[in-house]
Amino acid sequence: MVNYRIITDSCCDLTEALISKLGITVVPMNMLFQGKVRVDSVGEDIKEVYDALRAGEVASTSAVNPDGWASYIEPALQAGEDALVLTFSSGLSTTYQSAVIAAQELMEAYPGRTVKVVDSLCASLGQGLLVWY
């Protein structure tokens, strides 16, 4: 049986401890906030962001692009593992499509490896529960 790595994006909202315990790889999403790009880090305290949003500030997010996905998937393939990628809902982001593009390119470069990309059709903890399961 081939070993595989579970890879997801930071929209899964799992705790740092659970991510570490399960050995999951988490790809960070980015947010444009107050003129700066913030990387969504697991365990980061973002109270200031929520306070500013409540006060009327606007934030926007950006999907992980294919190169971003590839940079997290490729190490698994190089280590002789396959990858199961569970993404943020395709109904809310192009993150899923970007992961599919990265998977196709990487499977051409690593013909003996498999990358399965699953659209979670979820966000936040719904996605996290699917990843955990």
Side-chain angles (χ1 to χ4, degrees), residues 24-93:
I24 296 167
T25 298
V26 178
V27 179
M29 301 278 279
N30 292 325
M31 171 178 43
L32 181 60
F33 181 68
Q34 296 178 329
K36 295 182 236 167
V37 175
R38 292 179 61 123
V39 176
D40 183 17
S41 301
V42 175
E44 178 186 14
D45 180 13
I46 61 168
K47 182 182 181 323
E48 70 181 66
V49 173
Y50 288 120
D51 290 345
L53 291 172
R54 284 186 204 94
E57 287 279 346
V58 176
S60 61
T61 59
S62 63
V64 178
N65 63 35
D67 287 340
W69 278 111
S71 70
Y72 284 84
I73 297 169
E74 190 167 26
L77 305 180
Q78 290 172 337
E81 299 173 316
D82 289 336
L84 173 61
V85 180
L86 297 136
T87 70
F88 185 52
S89 176
S90 64
L92 300 170
S93 173

